[in-house]
């Protein structure tokens, strides 16, 4: 475990419903009397939110894959150091909307950087801190496209706006992680209404040895 608390990450492609599920899970755990810190990446601290703006803005010429990976790792380092580790140390549950596996899926699967390099950046930046459990919200691309159309109305950010082939590589990378690292991942069917998906999330947590 990553300290006295509990560290849960939510991962998946665009439009999978991570933010909604993160919020519902936070409410459920707070109702059980737990202290919950709900946060997101890139972001979560002042410094990391500033890096987020640099990464996702659609102005300017953008970043190459290596610079992008370094910026995500730098944002994560600040987030881990200032928010996540202190919260875990005092026994809180940390729920994080995206974390390291997004770098592995987007900058690795999407952009072709090596998984070993991305893990090295994480070791250097954040001493390799991993969640106790990562929930992968899996949604067929047609469903995701429909949700995004409603949410973004054509105004996606710099990374969300990349082409379908890029997002297919990202989705395949996430599926590969869940298959090859089953001890770390719970794969959640993200189709259906938010309440149905939330019930699947709670069932996945109840199945864990440590219990939320
Ligand atoms: P965000 O709006 O937070 O995610 P979503 O679109 O899922 O609601 O945008 C974050 C974007 O950054 C998203 O396209 C995924 C991407 N990303 C990476 O490429 N690498 C990373 O390490 C992280 C954390 C996010």
């Amino acid at each position: 475990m990553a300290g006295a608390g509990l560290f849960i990450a939510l991962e998946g492609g665009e439009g999978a419903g991570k933010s909604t599920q993160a919020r519902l899970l936070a409410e459920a755990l707070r109702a059980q009397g737990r202290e919950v810190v709900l946060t997101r990446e890139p972001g979560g601290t002042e410094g990391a939110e500033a890096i987020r703006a640099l990464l996702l803005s659609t102005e300017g010429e953008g970043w190459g894959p290596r610079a992008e990976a370094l910026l995500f790792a730098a944002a994560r380092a600040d987030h881990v150091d200032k928010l996540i580790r202190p919260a875990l140390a005092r026994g809180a549950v940390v729920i994080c909307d995206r974390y390291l596996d997004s770098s592995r899926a987007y900058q690795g699967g999407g952009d072709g950087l090596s998984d070993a390099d991305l893990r090295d950046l994480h070791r250097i930046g954040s001493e390799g801190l991993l969640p106790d459990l990562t929930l992968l919200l899996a949604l067929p691309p047609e469903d995701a496209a429909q949700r995004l159309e409603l949410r973004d109305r054509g105004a996606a950010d710099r990374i969300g706006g990349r082409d379908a082939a890029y997002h297919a590589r990202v989705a395949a990378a996430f599926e590969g992680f869940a298959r090859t690292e089953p001890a770390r991942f719970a794969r959640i069917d993200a189709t259906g209404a938010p309440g149905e998906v939330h019930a699947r999330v709670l069932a996945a947590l109840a199945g864990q040895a440590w219990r939320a």
Side-chain angles (χ1 to χ4, degrees), residues 38-131:
L38 177 59
T39 186
R40 68 162 180 188
E41 290 204 347
T45 58
E46 198 184 334
E49 291 288 338
I51 296 175
R52 177 188 177 90
L54 293 175
L55 278 162
L56 299 184
S57 161
T58 48
E59 281 168 22
E61 61 179 346
W63 307 96
R66 287 170 190 283
E68 193 173 273
L70 286 160
L71 287 169
F72 277 114
R76 185 162 301 125
D78 195 64
H79 191 207
V80 165
D81 190 41
K82 298 207 178 95
L83 186 80
I84 297 178
R85 277 199 194 278
L88 293 174
R90 61 175 193 267
V93 180
V94 174
I95 299 175
C96 192
D97 183 348
R98 296 193 183 280
Y99 189 67
L100 170 68
D101 295 305
S102 279
S103 286
R104 298 175 66 211
Y106 284 79
Q107 284 66 56
D111 287 315
L113 297 192
S114 89
D115 201 51
D117 282 351
L118 293 164
R119 284 174 175 278
D120 279 347
L121 293 184
H122 188 54
R123 180 178 51 73
I124 295 163
S126 304
E127 297 172 300
L129 179 72
L130 290 177

Side-chain angles (χ1 to χ4, degrees), residues 174-192:
F174 275 131
E175 290 292 343
F177 305 154
R179 230 180 9 255
T180 55
E181 300 162 55
R184 223 159 61 66
F185 278 90
R187 184 182 184 280
I188 309 287
D189 171 7
T191 59

